[in-house]
Amino acid sequence: MINSRIVLLTCSIFLQIQINAQPVAMFRDTSIAVYHNSNRLENAWAGGMNTPVFGTMDLNGDGKMDLIEFDAPSFRVNTFINLGIANMSSYKYAPEYARVFPKDLEGWIRTFDYDYDGDMDLFSYAGGAISLFRNDYTSGTGLMFTPITYQMGTHYGGFSTNIYASRVNAPALTDLDNDGDMDVLAFSISGSWVECHKSYSMDSLGSPGQLLHYNIPVCWGYFVLANNTNTAVLPPVLPTCPLWVANPSARTPFEESFEPGSGPLSLATRQQRHAGSTLLALDMNGDGDKDILNGDILGNNVLYIENCGTPDSAWVCAQDTAFPSYDIPANLNDVAGPHYFDANNDGSNDLIVSNFFFTGEDYYNVKFYRNTTNNQSNVFAYVKNRWLVDGMIEVGTGAHPVFFDVDQDGKKDLLVGNDFYYNNNSPVGKIAYYRNTGTGTKAEYTLVTDDFSGVSATGLLGIYPAFGDLDGDGDADMLLGESDGNLVYYQNIAGVGNPCIFILTQLNYQSINIGDNAAPQLVDVDRDGDLDLLIGERAGTLNYYKNTGSPTVPVFSLETSNFGGLNVTKWNSFAGFSAPVLFDNGSGYELIVGSMSGYLYHYNNIDGNLAGNFNLVDSMFQNIFEPQVAVPAMADVDSDGKYDLAVGSLAGGIVLYTQDATLSIAQPASSGAFFTLYPNPTEQLLNIALVLRLINDSLSSFLMSEEN
């Protein structure tokens, strides 16, 4: 029997931390136009993409397959409605659907109608296994998901366990034998061969909706991956494949060859080298059996493996190691993730290849290959390398926005610094300049350059721009925070009222260094008539440097490295990445601080209390959640006299929030600590899973190594 008091207590805690009264109301706003080369960006404010994994699903019940995008490093779900325009990729950013998706998605997603009820269901990684969320859409309730299991099981001969999966090894879900239920192809725990887990749901029960699987005790297709490349070793060179056995003494000679210490490539080494793959099963040539495409950490290619066997018994006979070799190969750094769906509404499934690993390509990262024939012959032609993402504000990895009037026309422009663009393992930091070209009450933005003031030539990474008059000549200068914790000074030599011209003046401004990831704001903190410095940092605290000089010759002296006694680092995180916006909304100073968690922190009780602890009004300001490394910027973009917020994130894009309720889009609910009940339905055992999201270890180590 379930202890109802425990469940109710957990619910009450969840609601208590979620509900906060707010003095203002902010809404997602996609109405502000953004242009690039005279073309309006269709999904400008979608927040960018670094490592998109795609799935298709009818989100709104109109019969068309819409698009889901999942970004593993930030745990971000983006949803796009398919407008259904024939022969066009016509996806419209629709974040209101993202809020109903499970908050414990991790690693990757897959969509497949496992119960064959007409709705695509949702699968993801969960603790060494595959999780399943059933799509229970109805016209009355709309889209909703029910957790079914967090450990999809299988039978290995005499014992049962879960189908092995990892955060960085995505399986293929397909009906291999065409019997109307879902089979699973997944790499073995060694990462050397593909296991087949066949469903016997139809055979045993005559219904596809039961998760009944057994492992075929040989590797699927009788092939293994080569040691150091994303290529296959084909039969008959290795006519037999390893058995999965619980007794080590019963291992085959082939398995023994991969024992630790048995040769130049031990099993442990192979596991380390093969931490990353993504499988796709499809009938490439219309012969009734499934072939596979594999993207892998062992190479930046897509590997095509042809099945010359039967639907019941796969036998691999050929491979294309640079697929599609008849066109432009679909190579991507580091892991090329293939997807197969109708991306342009012409009735044939196309090939989309996206970056599957965080450390890879972050700008030219979604390749589109149009299917020039049909789903039986599948001949793909390369079209572009920025599919969907080319309709967004996108600056690679990390987006650090600020509003400032560059051309001195009285309208605030948008500038976006970044951590870096990937650039073949030689990362480059830049600032993108979007000029405000609006003519009415609303702003509109047009990209002028992606390398404002030639900042890339400095070699800086982790660029946070700030503006203010630092030499007392009446025009605003530019100060950049960077990943090493220094400040870089660019003097404006244009003169008052002229379009700004910034020249590099000092690389280590006033020898200020706060440690790592300096995020500055120039603002008169103590209201004495000159600009002071607030600087956020990786540690999650704020540094306050008081101007002890003059407006013409400022001298910034450290007052405190713990301004306001605040720290935006979550208890389960390695860093905070604070990014401050100090502002006066008419009743004294308030402070909004971005954080690594994706939440914005709101503080007051600042005036007259600069040496004290500020009051934390809300650690989830306006329920805004833009993971990870949310960086806010403030301006009135619609001339309604109320402030608006642009929020950048690690994914390299911007999401816009305004106080205009008439243009509101339902924003996703916050994600954090929560519980899930599974399986559902159940008669006896009920699991209560409390999910406390931890920072991805690979993301943590990558950010540390890149920015230290």
Side-chain angles (χ1 to χ4, degrees):
M1 180 177 179
I2 302 172
N3 189 328
S4 60
R5 289 177 296 177
I6 294 177
V7 175
L8 289 174
L9 175 61
T10 309
C11 290
S12 67
I13 293 173
F14 177 70
L15 292 175
Q16 184 179 6
I17 65 173
Q18 296 284 330
I19 297 174
N20 287 284
Q22 300 293 343
V24 297
M26 305 199 75
F27 309 90
R28 284 183 183 263
D29 190 337
T30 61
S31 67
I32 301 296
V34 181
Y35 294 89
H36 183 192
N37 294 333
S38 300
N39 298 316
R40 181 167 181 172
L41 303 184
E42 311 97 292
N43 300 300
W45 306 103
M49 297 179 183
N50 274 349
T51 58
V53 178
F54 297 106
T56 57
M57 181 181 293
D58 185 0
L59 299 173
N60 58 357
D62 66 354
K64 296 188 286 289
M65 283 293 103
D66 305 306
L67 191 66
I68 309 157
E69 181 264 334
F70 177 65
D71 190 272
S74 61
F75 308 101
R76 176 192 297 270
V77 174
N78 275 340
T79 46
F80 300 82
I81 291 298
N82 186 356
L83 302 181
I85 302 174
N87 301 307
M88 285 185 61
S89 293
S90 55
Y91 294 99
K92 180 67 175 176
Y93 177 52
E96 60 269 32
Y97 295 96
R99 65 184 176 83
V100 303
F101 274 73
K103 303 302 183 293
D104 47 345
L105 300 178
E106 191 174 352
W108 42 263
I109 61 167
R110 291 288 187 256
T111 54
F112 191 90
D113 185 7
Y114 88 101
D115 52 4
Y116 286 77
D117 66 349
D119 294 322
M120 298 291 271
D121 304 295
L122 182 66
F123 300 78
S124 186
Y125 167 77
I130 300 172
S131 61
L132 163 62
F133 303 88
R134 189 179 64 222
N135 182 350
D136 286 331
Y137 177 94
T138 69
S139 58
T141 62
L143 185 67
M144 59 185 299
F145 294 98
T146 301
I148 302 301
T149 183
Y150 283 86
Q151 290 188 326
M152 189 183 299
T154 192
H155 296 281
Y156 285 97
F159 68 98
S160 299
T161 186
N162 59 279
I163 298 174
Y164 173 73
S166 82
R167 182 184 290 105
V168 294
N169 290 76
L173 309 179
T174 184
D175 183 2
L176 286 171
D177 48 7
N178 304 314
D179 66 346
D181 53 21
M182 183 190 74
D183 309 303
V184 180
L185 293 178
F187 271 104
S188 64
I189 196 169
S190 77
S192 305
W193 59 86
V194 174
E195 292 183 340
C196 174
H197 302 273
K198 293 191 69 172
S199 172
Y200 58 95
S201 181
M202 286 296 293
D203 298 323
S204 297
L205 303 175
S207 168
Q210 302 300 312
L211 298 175
L212 304 175
H213 290 90
Y214 68 96
N215 173 253
I216 303 297
V218 292
C219 57
W220 182 86
Y222 296 90
F223 80 96
V224 295
L225 283 185
N227 285 349
N228 299 304
T229 59
N230 184 25
T231 59
V233 180
L234 304 179
V237 176
L238 292 171
T240 61
C241 291
L243 299 173
W244 180 285
V245 290
N247 181 5
S249 64
R251 291 192 176 108
T252 66
F254 181 66
E255 287 177 295
E256 292 292 347
S257 70
F258 288 112
E259 279 296 289
S262 65
L265 187 66
S266 68
L267 178 60
T269 302
R270 174 175 285 277
Q271 285 176 303
Q272 182 180 13
R273 290 186 181 182
H274 192 230
S277 64
T278 174
L279 282 169
L280 170 67
L282 72 163
D283 185 357
M284 186 72 75
N285 49 16
D287 62 356
D289 57 41
K290 295 299 192 297
D291 313 292
I292 65 173
L293 295 176
N294 183 54
D296 204 277
I297 193 66
L298 295 176
N300 61 8
N301 61 308
V302 172
L303 171 65
Y304 167 57
I305 300 174
E306 183 178 349
N307 178 6
C308 294
T310 68
D312 285 308
S313 180
W315 180 269
V316 169
C317 63
Q319 64 179 312
D320 181 351
T321 61
F323 186 81
S325 59
Y326 54 80
D327 200 276
I328 297 174
N331 295 357
L332 266 178
N333 291 320
D334 279 327
V335 177
H339 306 80
Y340 181 64
F341 57 88
D342 185 3
N344 62 349
N345 294 300
D346 66 354
S348 297
N349 289 339
D350 306 295
L351 177 66
I352 301 293
V353 180
S354 61
N355 174 38
F356 183 66
F357 239 51
F358 177 73
T359 54
E361 178 61 63
D362 57 6
Y363 188 74
Y364 301 106
N365 58 345
V366 186
K367 294 189 174 185
F368 171 40
Y369 291 79
R370 182 174 61 87
N371 192 339
T372 61
T373 55
N374 52 50
N375 296 341
Q376 286 69 51
S377 53
N378 293 296
V379 177
F380 300 110
Y382 174 80
V383 178
K384 62 169 67 176
N385 59 8
R386 299 196 70 231
W387 181 79
L388 192 65
V389 75
D390 61 359
M392 304 176 189
I393 296 175
E394 232 294 347
V395 295
T397 296
H400 314 143
V402 64
F403 291 100
F404 172 70
D405 187 1
V406 173
D407 56 2
Q408 295 296 291
D409 65 351
K411 297 176 294 188
K412 291 287 183 71
D413 308 302
L414 174 65
L415 295 106
V416 188
N418 71 352
D419 286 334
F420 53 81
Y421 292 94
Y422 172 71
N423 195 40
N424 295 318
N425 289 318
S426 298
V428 176
K430 295 182 179 181
I431 300 174
Y433 166 34
Y434 290 85
R435 181 171 179 256
N436 187 342
T437 52
T439 57
T441 57
K442 273 193 174 184
E444 69 175 30
Y445 300 100
T446 301
L447 180 65
V448 176
T449 176
D450 69 351
D451 192 14
F452 181 67
S453 295
V455 167
S456 65
T458 64
L460 299 174
L461 301 177
I463 300 170
Y464 286 79
F467 296 90
D469 186 0
L470 292 173
D471 54 9
D473 64 354
D475 56 22
D477 307 296
M478 181 167 69
L479 198 62
L480 304 181
E482 52 104 0
S483 60
D484 287 337
N486 299 314
L487 300 178
V488 179
Y489 173 43
Y490 280 74
Q491 185 181 22
N492 183 1
I493 61 172
V496 178
N498 297 316
C500 297
I501 302 173
F502 296 107
I503 60 170
L504 178 60
T505 304
Q506 188 176 353
L507 278 173
N508 188 2
Y509 182 63
Q510 296 196 15
S511 299
I512 294 171
N513 185 291
I514 51 81
D516 294 294
N517 301 95
Q521 182 189 8
L522 287 163
V523 57
D524 186 1
V525 175
D526 55 6
R527 299 186 185 270
D528 66 351
D530 55 28
L531 292 177
D532 306 299
L533 255 176
L534 288 181
I535 311 176
E537 62 167 300
R538 176 198 293 273
T541 56
L542 289 186
N543 302 270
Y544 168 36
Y545 284 79
K546 176 179 171 60
N547 185 353
T548 57
S550 66
T552 56
V553 185
V555 176
F556 294 108
S557 302
L558 180 63
E559 286 285 300
T560 177
S561 58
N562 191 26
F563 187 56
L566 64 88
N567 192 321
V568 298
T569 304
K570 292 288 189 182
W571 69 268
N572 59 345
S573 177
F574 71 93
F577 287 92
S578 53
V581 176
L582 183 67
F583 67 105
D584 191 331
N585 196 33
S587 56
Y589 271 146
E590 301 175 56
L591 181 64
I592 291 175
V593 185
S595 70
M596 182 167 188
S597 68
Y599 296 110
L600 303 183
Y601 289 66
H602 181 208
Y603 300 86
N604 62 14
N605 188 28
I606 298 170
D607 289 296
N609 187 34
L610 298 183
N613 292 333
F614 302 156
N615 175 51
L616 175 60
V617 180
D618 194 353
S619 60
M620 297 161 52
F621 178 67
Q622 290 295 312
N623 209 31
I624 292 172
F625 180 61
E626 299 299 338
Q628 289 179 343
V629 194
V631 179
M634 183 177 291
D636 182 3
V637 301
D638 49 13
S639 302
D640 63 354
K642 303 173 183 177
Y643 68 80
D644 308 304
L645 288 175
V647 183
S649 72
L650 190 69
I654 307 290
V655 176
L656 182 65
Y657 292 85
T658 72
Q659 297 187 50
D660 189 347
T662 64
L663 295 169
S664 68
I665 299 172
Q667 59 199 54
S670 295
S671 175
F674 61 96
F675 67 88
T676 303
L677 307 179
Y678 73 95
N680 188 358
T682 186
E683 294 182 356
Q684 296 179 345
L685 179 65
L686 180 64
N687 297 296
I688 303 177
L690 178 65
V691 180
L692 301 174
R693 173 152 294 148
L694 300 177
I695 299 300
N696 184 302
D697 290 338
S698 62
L699 169 62
S700 169
S701 60
F702 177 73
L703 285 175
M704 292 266 194
S705 63
E706 284 295 322
E707 298 179 359
N708 278 332

